[in-house]
Amino acid sequence: MNSGVTRTGARSIVLRVRMRFHSALDKLSLNRHALIGSALARIILGGLGFYLYARDYMQRAYLWGPDGVWPWQNFAAPDGQQGFSLYSVSRSSAWFEIVFHLGMIFALLFMLGWKTRVMNVLHYVFLWSLHQRNPVLLDGGDNVTVIVLVFFVFVDSGSKFSLDARRMGVKPAIDRNSFAFRIGSLLHNAGILAAILQICTVYLVSGMYKVQGRKWQNGTALYYILRTNEFGWPGVNRFVYESATLVVVITYATVFFQLAFTFLLLNRKWRVFAVACGILMHLGIAVHMAGLVNFSLTVVAVELVIMGDAHYRRLTRAFRRLAGRRRTAEPAQADADGPAATDPGTKVPSAPDPVLVSS
């Protein structure tokens, strides 16, 4: 009797687990999450790639060329590069110019969302090749970018704010129950999850390293960071590091936030707060450490993926309501300042006669 009850209970548990698994699988295969966030991330990542090419365009031969500042023997040696690079195919200047300009075009097309998945792959290959040509010019943002671009190959980042979205608008609707759509949705959601886990790893590892540092422990790390001449902004950073209280507070708050970021995302109520704080923190890094703009905006781009489409729709409605209130307030203010609101004893000057003006 007891064995029969045990078997029945075990079967019911297995059945419930199986039903929940199939339910979660249906949700993930029928819905593609974070379409707006992934589109915004695509625009920022593509824009940063195009900015890299445009920033060094006038000095491209010196910084990235075959006879540039990074010697060719260091680049082409078997132990001199991290991986394959298109720039290693030939040392000719013509080949360098072709590859460099193609990479610039692919970055722009990826940002605009034309043939998004194809441009994603091409942009990754050409950007990776450029990074391998001169690793001295890289920072942490470049590493995060190439990792996230791999995940974005599976992400439907061109469904919003793209040329592909405009082209798909005139085509028949896609069958959401088709096998291809379901597989694509699973890959899309898996890519989104991988990008989020990547940014969580960056925060967690960075926080753990900071905890072990003595300057982060005594609250003086921000002072020395803002005094770094390589990344600092003279005349601006001193407004922060001259305040001992502000330095200590921001130093400790940075460590606590990076360690708590992953756990804050587990709670829906704190998710928006965590993303907002992360964006503000990296915008502050971009302002006060001008040399790390690429890194800061890359992290901001990935953080935008965390927020769901419902969050962006609520923000859009809130901005529209705020804009509507301002528009209704402006006519009311204009009526209050018009002739009807003037003192009856005040004489309002009339408009000049156009005949006199013309004469």
Side-chain angles (χ1 to χ4, degrees), residues 173-188:
I174 302 176
D175 184 10
R176 298 173 61 88
N177 292 319
S178 63
F179 179 77
F181 181 84
R182 284 176 173 262
I183 294 298
S185 298
L186 289 175
L187 293 176
H188 167 84

Side-chain angles (χ1 to χ4, degrees), residues 12-292:
S12 63
I13 293 175
V14 173
L15 182 60
R16 287 197 297 269
V17 171
R18 185 179 300 176
M19 291 177 62
R20 291 182 179 179
F21 173 77
H22 287 294
S23 177
L25 188 62
D26 286 337
K27 291 181 180 179
L28 292 175
S29 62
L30 292 175
N31 300 300
R32 297 185 179 183
H33 300 278
L35 291 175
I36 297 177
S38 61
L40 296 175
R42 183 205 78 238
I43 294 173
I44 296 177
L45 293 176
L48 288 175
F50 182 79
Y51 166 74
L52 175 62
Y53 289 99
R55 181 197 64 186
D56 301 337
Y57 188 80
M58 301 305 296
Q59 302 293 332
R60 61 187 183 278
Y62 175 73
L63 296 176
W64 308 99
D67 298 320
V69 64
W70 187 250
W72 179 264
Q73 57 270 19
N74 293 349
F75 165 64
D79 57 346
Q81 65 180 44
Q82 299 294 328
F84 172 77
S85 174
L86 293 174
Y87 294 92
S88 64
V89 175
S90 174
R91 192 175 179 176
S92 67
S93 300
W95 175 254
F96 164 75
E97 294 291 342
I98 292 173
V99 176
F100 188 90
H101 285 86
L102 283 177
M104 192 174 186
I105 294 173
F106 292 146
L108 179 62
L109 292 178
F110 175 65
M111 179 186 68
L112 297 177
W114 184 77
K115 302 291 184 181
T116 309
R117 292 186 187 275
V118 178
M119 292 302 112
N120 191 342
V121 175
L122 293 176
H123 175 50
Y124 167 77
V125 172
F126 279 77
L127 187 64
W128 169 268
S129 299
L130 187 69
H131 289 173
Q132 299 307 307
R133 176 61 189 95
N134 192 347
V136 179
L137 300 178
L138 305 182
D139 56 30
D142 300 305
N143 295 329
V144 176
T145 298
V146 294
I147 294 174
V148 173
L149 285 177
V150 175
F151 301 147
F152 264 56
V153 173
F154 307 98
V155 174
D156 187 11
S157 61
S159 61
K160 303 286 185 181
F161 317 130
S162 66
L163 298 178
D164 287 344
R166 296 187 61 181
R167 180 172 54 87
M168 293 298 293
V170 298
K171 289 187 176 182
I174 302 176
D175 184 10
R176 298 173 61 88
N177 292 319
S178 63
F179 179 77
F181 181 84
R182 284 176 173 262
I183 294 298
S185 298
L186 289 175
L187 293 176
H188 167 84
N189 294 323
I192 292 294
L193 180 60
I196 295 174
L197 291 178
Q198 175 63 35
I199 204 64
C200 290
T201 303
V202 171
Y203 273 117
L204 187 60
V205 172
S206 178
M208 293 298 295
Y209 271 104
K210 287 182 175 62
V211 169
Q212 303 175 47
R214 180 174 300 178
K215 293 181 176 60
W216 290 97
Q217 294 175 2
N218 58 30
T220 61
L222 184 66
Y223 173 82
Y224 295 100
I225 292 174
L226 296 180
R227 295 299 300 270
T228 303
N229 294 328
E230 183 178 1
F231 299 106
W233 192 352
V236 177
N237 291 352
R238 66 182 184 87
F239 291 104
V240 179
Y241 65 68
E242 286 182 353
S243 174
T245 302
L246 193 60
V247 167
V248 173
V249 170
I250 297 179
T251 300
Y252 287 141
T254 301
V255 177
F256 290 143
F257 172 74
Q258 289 184 335
L259 292 176
F261 180 81
T262 304
F263 304 99
L264 291 175
L265 297 184
L266 300 177
N267 192 320
R268 289 181 176 270
K269 297 180 180 180
W270 291 97
R271 191 171 301 169
V272 178
F273 171 78
V275 173
C277 289
I279 292 176
L280 291 176
M281 182 180 71
H282 283 92
L283 290 180
I285 294 175
V287 171
H288 292 283
M289 302 186 70
L292 297 178

